[in-house]
Amino acid sequence: MLRRSSRRSAQITPVKLAELPTTWDEKEEVPRRARARGQTEVEMPDFDNLEPPPSMSDFLSTLRGLQKEALTRNHPDVSDWKQFAEERWGTMVGKAKAGDWELFVASRIAVVPAAFGSEMLQERYCHDTWRLLVSCILMSRVSSAQVKDKCINGFFDLFPTPSAFKVTECDKRFSPPPSSLPSLPSSFLSSFPSSSFSSLPSSFLSSPTACLAKVSDDEQVFEMIKPLGLFDSRIKGLRDVTNRFLSMPEFVIGLEKDYKPAGVGQFTYQSYLMFCCGQAQTFVPEDKNLRAYSRWIRSVAGEDSSSKDDEQDQTQ
């Protein structure tokens, strides 16, 4: 049962949520059967030339206004937004091709719900958008609260920031890794005939030691989150979300093509809207736990939740 609390965050004025796209496929969030090991890399869109689809433009305009208000309220003295981003999310964000670093930061700032105390797991991570998305990818389709707590906390102990989660393109066909990774000399590959490397990824040919180290990282993550199941699907989603978070000049995710990260379906996306975009009181979600949370937070805010639930039932 959800527990009410008198504790409240800064009040957020709810706004009407733009109509959600209907391109979600449950199989893309967590497939019934895990994909074959090795199929965990994601082809990234060209973020520099992406334009948000019209269905997202009104919502994004409203969201950016809320995020900039939160940025001004909570960080009024910041003058170097690139430095702020690197201090908060790690040095790898500095490699992003961002022409406007204030927008880069604002689009990643969480607009949190107006009240806390529901005991929803998302409340623990909603102040950090990357952590909220990661936690939802890891908790999806897992019933045991103890398993979720242990695996999610263990992951963030290993990777406290997106930069710490090394997102390096590498083929997982080199699994399992050696117990130790020697430094390979530049002449290492020259001793083999060129035909031996026809099926190897370019990342291994350019940096074999780094590639083997990436496989070692994957094995480390696997040991931490294997109780959750569906490792390849989850690691693919973690990489895609982290790549986008580190690279996009303006962080935008959705259920539309090119903006839908691997492993992000309706549950993760609606959790993001409710806990990081100030939309917790503006729509009734599909997931039963999110729906219970929606009723709770509207009751805390003094709203009549029954009318929204009835409206949702009539549209189903």
Side-chain angles (χ1 to χ4, degrees), residues 217-236:
D217 286 344
D218 280 355
E219 293 300 320
Q220 190 178 27
V221 177
F222 174 74
E223 290 300 319
M224 178 54 61
I225 70 173
K226 67 180 179 181
L228 302 173
L230 297 167
F231 173 76
D232 285 340
S233 177
R234 297 187 197 277
I235 193 71
K236 185 176 181 180

Side-chain angles (χ1 to χ4, degrees), residues 198-251:
S198 58
S199 63
L200 298 182
S202 58
S203 55
F204 181 81
L205 298 178
S206 61
S207 182
T209 300
C211 192
L212 289 172
K214 179 67 189 75
V215 175
S216 180
D217 286 344
D218 280 355
E219 293 300 320
Q220 190 178 27
V221 177
F222 174 74
E223 290 300 319
M224 178 54 61
I225 70 173
K226 67 180 179 181
L228 302 173
L230 297 167
F231 173 76
D232 285 340
S233 177
R234 297 187 197 277
I235 193 71
K236 185 176 181 180
L238 295 174
R239 287 180 182 169
D240 196 2
V241 163
T242 304
N243 260 324
R244 291 168 185 266
F245 196 88
L246 292 171
S247 304
M248 296 181 79
E250 179 182 1
F251 187 65

Side-chain angles (χ1 to χ4, degrees), residues 105-123:
V105 172
S107 65
R108 289 157 173 81
I109 288 295
V111 182
V112 299
F116 289 85
S118 70
E119 297 184 353
M120 289 286 285
L121 191 58
Q122 289 93 323
E123 282 191 348

Side-chain angles (χ1 to χ4, degrees), residues 45 49 53 60 77 94 101 107 121-122 136 155 164 175 197 200 203 214 216 238 247 256 264 279 301 314:
N49 297 314
L60 287 177
D77 300 324
W101 280 98
S107 65
L121 191 58
Q122 289 93 323
C136 288
F155 181 88
S175 181
F197 310 121
L200 298 182
S203 55
K214 179 67 189 75
S216 180
L238 295 174
S247 304
E256 301 278 1
V264 172
Q279 302 299 315
Q314 293 172 4

